Amino acid sequence: MVNRTKSKRVAGELMDKDTMLDLYHEMVLVRRLEEAFETLYQEGKIGGFLHLYIGQEAVGSGVIGARQPQDRVITAYRDHGIAISCGIDPKSIVAELFGKEAGTSKGRGGSMHLGNTDLNFWGGHAIVGAHMPLATGMAMADKYRGSDAVTICLFGDGATNGGYFHEALNLSMVWDLPILWVCENNQYGMGTAVERASAVTEIRQKAEGYGMPNERVDGMDILKVYEATSKNLDLVRKNGPFFLELMTYRFRGHSIGDPERYREKEEIDMWRKDDPIGIFRKHLLSTNGLTDAVLDNIEAKAQSEIEEAIKFAEASADPSLDSLFDYVYVD
Amino acid sequence: MAVITMREAISQAIWEEMERDEDVFIMGEEVGIWGGTYAVTRGFYDHFGGERVRDTPIAEGVIIGAANGAAMAGLRPIAELMTINFAFLAMDQIVNHSAKLRLMFGGQFKIPIVIRAVGGGGRQLGATHSQTPDAVFAHFPGLKVVSPGTPSDAKGLLKTAIRQDDPVMFIENATLYQVRGEVPDEEHLVPIGVSKVQREGHDATIVTYSKMLQKSFVAAERLSSEGIEVEIVDLRTLRPLDMGPVVQSFKKTNRAVIVEEGWKSYGVGAEIAARLYEEAFDYADAPIKRLAQKEVPLPYNHDLEQHAIPQVEDIIMAVKEVL
């Protein structure tokens, strides 16, 4: 497993080689996990909806790779990759999707509600935009207590057309809260293209209306994502909210069962040429003196971790029926 | 024991809990510099400062949402909704988040939030500012719903709500703020989820809460002058519902009238009546009577509005019908 909390990184600093290899491993781990979920879902082993992160790995790994341990992360329902980047063991992720007691949320949340507060990952949230006010409140609490933590809130382009987005961005500026707003612009809200749903297609422009500094960055290249995040996390710690728009693309449908009538195969193929793992691999081979053998070895390791995770989850227990009422009330 | 108003009781509860625990803070529209739309937090801003008495934009979704987030992070927010009618703008946060986040994440964190909301009709505010939708909130497991009818209960229940760890909808009635009553001078906590016999009697049971408790007191005195002694059970908490004193009283009087300000269909009366039939069917000597608001959005006109809301005379008549 990647140890996400091992090094304090200086803002703007380029990644060292070990960090790069960790993050390469992490991105491959996410890819293999999602491919496995696709199969397991078709085999009927996973209930509910399934939203895959394939194609967007550089966003999660780049953004969260740059955070400090005290920084909170909260995201929407496409959360498997974010969970891995936050350091959650794939075993407990697979177990959650299987509905097992050993899952991150004890089998109560499922695919869209992964979380681990010890690792400062505050969830996967399934109502579009609704976690943005939650992020506002968490950042308010950190400021209230004098902590230097930043809350990193990831959301899709689709969320930026709803009321929560505007209420939360506005309040974050009014209260001057330490939040890094990260828009994962994968260019579709379900099947509706950005230009069909948003009055401005450059989402970062919406931050302008709130006087919030902002930037649009290539979300397929982890080095660019990492650098932009490091730099801007530092700004947030000093100055308050920042809005980072990351241009990305999901290679699979919105969820399993999406007939994908809304986009052409040529468009998908074009984006696939920018596979974030491919881009990173090319970089590692060309500038860091790494060999195919080293990277293939990392990929094989990731593959076996996922296989182990599936075995673990299959063997682990369902919650007992007696526990039905657990966690409804504390008192 | 001091005699104080409901407004003073609620104000004291918040003040004392904010003095006791720095994690407690209040946020909402006009809670700060204005001093609260209903003057409940007058003086708080100057004493506690803007960090702990936080004025918000008029944006209910982020008011409750941010309070939920602050609660997840370990603070104990009191989020004030100027009126309960505005809760509908925050319904997703209350229903999908306050009530559910803890379970959905396998108990990893708590949501110790108190949502104060002012409800009730009778003030000629029109249909969107006059509702009593308490039963709507009581429908959802994960929420606790509290609605006091006396200053003493208001203070004790609110202090308990702030100290305990679950999300609470604390529903106040705007026409009760001037009601006076005795409140203990010493530390005063009232448990959530405990109904209370507020008046003893043997001829019939009135089950009620909040504003209708006060109207039922008046009705009970007039009935008493005619030789009819009603017992009044005050629910105080709608969820979790304590049927103990209700069933006990019904077994004694064998007759019940349920009085609520909200609409009858799918309401509090429907729930209580069904439970009485389930738990004490053999004790009924008359069909259980439900008294509630007539099924209409409340009109502005004074007489029309009052006609739609249960009045003391209606309660008296309903009691006589079950005798």
Side-chain angles (χ1 to χ4, degrees), chain A residues 130 144 164 167 329-331, chain B residues 22 62 92-93 108 143 165-166:
Chain A
Y144 187 93
Y164 276 138
E167 292 188 23
Y329 294 106
V330 180
D331 300 314
Chain B
E22 284 213 341
V62 80
D92 167 65
Q93 282 298 329
Q108 291 185 60
L143 288 181
D165 286 328
D166 292 309

Side-chain angles (χ1 to χ4, degrees), chain B residues 202-205 248-256 280 282-288 322:
Chain B
H202 45 77
D203 294 319
T205 301
Q248 205 178 350
S249 177
F250 185 62
K251 284 181 175 175
K252 181 169 82 177
T253 65
N254 312 109
R255 296 155 205 280
D282 291 340
Y283 292 85
D285 283 351
I288 294 166
V322 301

Side-chain angles (χ1 to χ4, degrees), chain A residues 72 74 96 104-106 108-110 112-118 121-127 129-138 140-145 164 167-168 170-171 174-175 177 324-331, chain B residues 22-25 27 51-52 54-57 59-70 72-75 90 92-93 96-97 99 101-110 140-144 163-167 239-240:
Chain A
R72 300 171 192 269
I74 185 166
E96 185 61 32
T104 62
S105 304
K106 297 193 160 59
R108 270 71 169 181
M112 302 193 284
H113 305 106
L114 304 176
N116 183 322
T117 58
D118 291 339
F121 177 42
W122 294 85
H125 295 269
I127 302 282
H131 65 295
M132 301 182 73
L134 300 179
T136 308
M138 291 193 298
M140 180 248 133
D142 286 330
K143 191 177 176 189
Y144 187 93
R145 288 180 157 156
Y164 276 138
E167 292 188 23
N170 180 61
L171 191 58
V174 170
W175 283 357
L177 299 176
L324 179 63
F325 295 103
D326 287 1
Y327 317 122
V328 182
Y329 294 106
V330 180
D331 300 314
Chain B
E22 284 213 341
D23 285 344
V24 179
F25 70 99
M27 60 189 281
E51 285 294 306
R52 298 188 68 199
R54 302 180 81 97
D55 283 320
T56 65
E60 286 77 10
V62 80
I63 291 173
I64 304 302
N68 279 334
M72 288 166 80
L75 297 184
D92 167 65
Q93 282 298 329
N96 286 330
H97 295 85
L101 283 172
R102 178 173 151 76
L103 180 130
M104 279 201 301
F105 289 94
Q108 291 185 60
F109 49 80
K110 303 164 187 169
F140 297 103
L143 288 181
K144 290 178 177 173
R163 289 187 192 189
Q164 58 87 63
D165 286 328
D166 292 309
R239 181 187 274 274

Side-chain angles (χ1 to χ4, degrees), chain B residues 86-259:
Chain B
F86 307 164
F88 297 121
L89 287 143
M91 214 54 182
D92 167 65
Q93 282 298 329
I94 298 169
V95 168
N96 286 330
H97 295 85
S98 306
K100 295 178 175 60
L101 283 172
R102 178 173 151 76
L103 180 130
M104 279 201 301
F105 289 94
Q108 291 185 60
F109 49 80
K110 303 164 187 169
I111 309 286
I113 173 182
V114 176
I115 301 168
R116 286 184 49 236
V118 184
R123 293 175 299 140
Q124 287 196 268
L125 293 174
T128 64
H129 277 57
S130 304
Q131 299 171 94
T132 310
D134 311 349
V136 172
F137 297 96
H139 185 63
F140 297 103
L143 288 181
K144 290 178 177 173
V145 180
V146 174
S147 190
T150 68
S152 172
D153 284 342
K155 182 170 183 184
L157 282 163
L158 183 51
K159 283 173 72 88
T160 303
I162 293 167
R163 289 187 192 189
Q164 58 87 63
D165 286 328
D166 292 309
V168 175
M169 277 294 290
F170 191 88
I171 304 175
E172 300 161 21
N173 185 297
T175 64
L176 287 181
Y177 282 129
Q178 299 293 0
V179 167
R180 302 175 77 81
E182 285 190 333
V183 176
D185 298 320
E186 64 277 10
E187 182 74 280
H188 176 54
L189 295 164
V190 173
I192 289 173
V194 180
S195 303
K196 183 185 180 189
V197 175
Q198 296 276 20
R199 182 190 196 278
E200 292 195 8
H202 45 77
D203 294 319
T205 301
I206 293 176
V207 186
T208 189
Y209 70 99
S210 188
K211 170 75 173 178
M212 290 299 140
L213 172 70
Q214 292 295 335
K215 286 194 178 178
S216 296
F217 282 147
V218 178
E221 288 314 303
R222 294 204 358 218
L223 285 162
S224 179
S225 68
E226 297 178 37
I228 299 163
E229 296 300 336
V230 294
E231 185 144 294
I232 300 176
V233 185
D234 179 4
L235 296 172
R236 303 196 293 187
T237 302
L238 299 182
R239 181 187 274 274
L241 183 59
D242 174 23
M243 280 299 288
V246 180
V247 171
Q248 205 178 350
S249 177
F250 185 62
K251 284 181 175 175
K252 181 169 82 177
T253 65
N254 312 109
R255 296 155 205 280
V257 174
I258 305 147
V259 190

Side-chain angles (χ1 to χ4, degrees), chain B residues 293-306:
Chain B
Q293 190 173 128
K294 294 187 176 71
E295 307 271 334
V296 58
L298 277 185
Y300 164 75
N301 174 275
H302 176 269
D303 291 354
L304 284 176
E305 183 180 29
Q306 292 299 321

